[in-house]
Amino acid sequence: MTAAVEVSGLVKHYPRSKRGLDGIDLTVGEGEVFALLGPNGAGKTTFVKCLLALLQPTSGTVELFGQPVSSPAARRGVGFVPESPRFPDYLSGREVLKLHGRLIGLPAPDLDGIIDERLIAADLDDAPKRVKAYSKGMVRRLAMAQALMGEPRLVLLDEPTADLDPIGRRDVRNQIAELKQRGATVILNSHLLSEVERLCDHAAIVHKGRIVVKGPMDELVPEGQDLESVFVDLIEKAGS
Amino acid sequence: MKTVITLARAAVTEHVRRKLVLFFVGMALLAGLGLVYVSLNQDLSANLIGATVGLATVLSLTLLQGMATLAAVAVSMNNIGRPFSDGEAMLMLARPVARWQYALGRLLASMALVVGLCFLLAALLQGVNLIENRDLGWQLWGHWATQAFNLMLLVSITTLMSALVKNPVLAAFVGFFVYTSSNTISTLYLYVTTGRVGGAFGAVVTALWYLTPKRLISPLALDQIQQSGDLVGASSMMLIQSNGLRIAWAVSYLVATVLLTFALVQRKEL
């Protein structure tokens, strides 16, 4: 079976900064819900951006479904919610989804139906006309809606529940559960460890640009402990 | 190509909704009304330039041309720098979209708007000319066709600058400076070719002449310079004698600018 994500020797150095990635090797299998955990500045967002060729790695290779990510075709069937989503202010939510639907090549006759479905699911069907007038939570819900356009095989979620109220967070959890049921691969980058523990079947903990530990969730968290205590212990040990 | 067209349409929507295009179209129509008034009011023409006809044409070549130049800068200064720095480009580039497609889509949108504006101005001036009983015929349309090409060149230079610097105002200023510097450099280069300037300065001027954009010459502008006896102006415009060679050079410059923009966008990080 082809891995959804295959990362080998990934190094990313920023000029005039210590932050980055320092040799990451990682394989995420198809259908896994994979958590990427780590303290602030560990390199999680850098890693996610390298997975989408938004950042050019200093060295190493990244493949999505067996194709090098530098090829745009590798990003077909990939949905992404960034940490701070930003849409063109002058478009409406519907137009944003239409633009993304066209970019991923959804058939024109089906597009309106798919968009209606996504807007209702994101509770944005009666949202203000322009994205400019959206609240932070609405922008995040729109980001989730665009990421799920066209039933992606791989979804990368960078802090998807930030800025969301409890109902919004529950909706995101439900959407991740649906993706898992559909057999899609999800890479989740979140600080909400209780959510991660509930949703993810595999995890990696990143610290100072390196993976400290990785594996199935039930192996990482021994019985009687929770993910938070395991995470804190590991980071404190790695930091010392 | 479908991806490029989708991105270009989105960029056109951006400019139209930001009311930039409407502003320049509105200004053009307002200027057109002014020109109609001037051409109908012969006393005003006589007082201003001592001629009863032709004032509207004279004004058009400066006022409307200047406005079209401003419009070209305005619709291209935000093409690359802003969407990359504020993260707007991120979600689109996370799709199966190559970076050159993203840049080309935004570039084509700006070019299409500028060409559309030039066409509108040409039509407007054709109307004013008819009121003035003065038919410039093919020269008027030739003028605006060359102007449209030159402004596409300005769009490509400003877009290149917006790929180099984050600040759109700086990109606009540098783009405009590079574009307008070509006339001054051509004049200096004329002195080099005639042997009046030499040495190290001459070598620098020669290098700059090869680096600055080569614009197409409007049939109307050349005609006016020749009639006014501005030999330096005319000669510096005619440094490249052959029309074909001049067009080839201008097109090559445009293509090179676009390719350089693609290379810069390819290396940009989000």
Side-chain angles (χ1 to χ4, degrees), chain B residues 103-124:
Chain B
L104 184 60
R106 293 186 69 81
L107 198 61
L108 286 181
S110 303
M111 287 179 174
L113 289 169
V114 163
V115 170
L117 186 65
C118 286
F119 180 79
L120 178 79
L121 293 177
L124 194 76

Side-chain angles (χ1 to χ4, degrees), chain A residues 4 17 31 55 116 132 135 140 161 163-164 184 210 213 220 232:
Chain A
S17 168
L55 288 176
D116 284 337
K132 203 175 181 177
S135 68
R140 194 158 286 278
T161 52
D163 304 318
L164 289 180
R210 288 169 181 269
V213 65
L220 288 178
V232 172

Side-chain angles (χ1 to χ4, degrees), chain A residues 7 10-15 17-24 36 39-59 62 69 80 82-83 156-159 187 189 206 208-210, chain B residues 90 269-270:
Chain A
V7 176
L10 183 64
V11 174
K12 174 66 190 172
H13 290 157
Y14 293 105
S17 168
K18 281 182 183 173
R19 281 184 186 174
L21 302 173
D22 199 9
I24 289 199
L36 202 59
N40 291 332
K44 305 184 296 294
T45 297
T46 300
F47 179 73
V48 169
K49 285 183 175 179
C50 286
L51 289 188
L52 291 163
L54 298 172
L55 288 176
Q56 320 286 332
T58 308
S59 62
V62 178
V69 74
F80 172 48
E83 195 176 4
L156 300 164
L157 305 171
D158 196 354
E159 299 289 353
I187 295 183
N189 178 358
V206 185
K208 292 182 179 170
R210 288 169 181 269
Chain B
M90 192 189 288
E269 299 206 312
L270 277 148

Side-chain angles (χ1 to χ4, degrees), chain B residues 69-70 72-74 76-77 150-151 153-162 165 168-186 188 208 211-215 253:
Chain B
T69 307
L70 277 182
V73 172
S76 50
M77 62 198 259
N150 290 340
L151 291 181
L153 194 59
L154 174 57
V155 161
S156 73
I157 295 168
T158 311
T159 302
L160 172 66
M161 292 307 150
S162 85
V165 292
V169 179
L170 186 61
F173 269 108
V174 179
F176 183 73
F177 176 76
V178 170
Y179 176 74
T180 49
S181 69
S182 64
N183 282 352
T184 315
I185 301 292
S186 288
L188 287 173
L208 284 174
L211 285 173
T212 45
K214 302 289 167 275
R215 297 194 231 166
Y253 197 94

Side-chain angles (χ1 to χ4, degrees), chain A residues 12 75 90 95 100 146, chain B residues 14 17 95 97 269-270:
Chain A
K12 174 66 190 172
R75 301 193 293 274
Y90 51 87
E95 287 167 330
H100 282 270
Q146 66 77 33
Chain B
E14 170 184 352
R17 295 215 178 138
R95 296 298 186 189
V97 173
E269 299 206 312
L270 277 148

Side-chain angles (χ1 to χ4, degrees), chain A residues 115-221:
Chain A
I115 291 169
D116 284 337
E117 212 175 277
R118 283 281 136 233
L119 286 175
I120 292 168
D123 198 18
L124 291 170
D125 46 328
D126 55 356
K129 207 164 175 344
R130 300 274 169 88
V131 173
K132 203 175 181 177
Y134 280 24
S135 68
K136 277 184 185 175
M138 290 164 92
V139 169
R140 194 158 286 278
R141 293 209 299 275
L142 182 62
M144 195 71 187
Q146 66 77 33
L148 300 181
M149 292 277 289
E151 305 209 332
R153 292 164 74 193
L154 168 66
V155 182
L156 300 164
L157 305 171
D158 196 354
E159 299 289 353
T161 52
D163 304 318
L164 289 180
D165 58 25
I167 295 168
R169 283 208 292 274
R170 183 204 60 194
D171 290 345
V172 170
R173 277 199 304 271
N174 290 343
Q175 281 166 327
I176 295 173
E178 275 172 33
L179 285 168
K180 187 176 180 175
Q181 213 170 17
R182 187 161 63 72
T185 310
V186 179
I187 295 183
L188 174 65
N189 178 358
S190 174
H191 285 300
L192 294 173
L193 299 182
S194 57
E195 275 180 5
V196 167
E197 202 171 352
R198 208 179 325 165
L199 290 166
C200 300
D201 38 41
H202 287 72
I205 296 178
V206 185
H207 185 53
K208 292 182 179 170
R210 288 169 181 269
I211 290 182
V212 182
V213 65
K214 63 184 171 191
M217 194 63 84
D218 47 12
E219 283 178 20
L220 288 178
V221 186

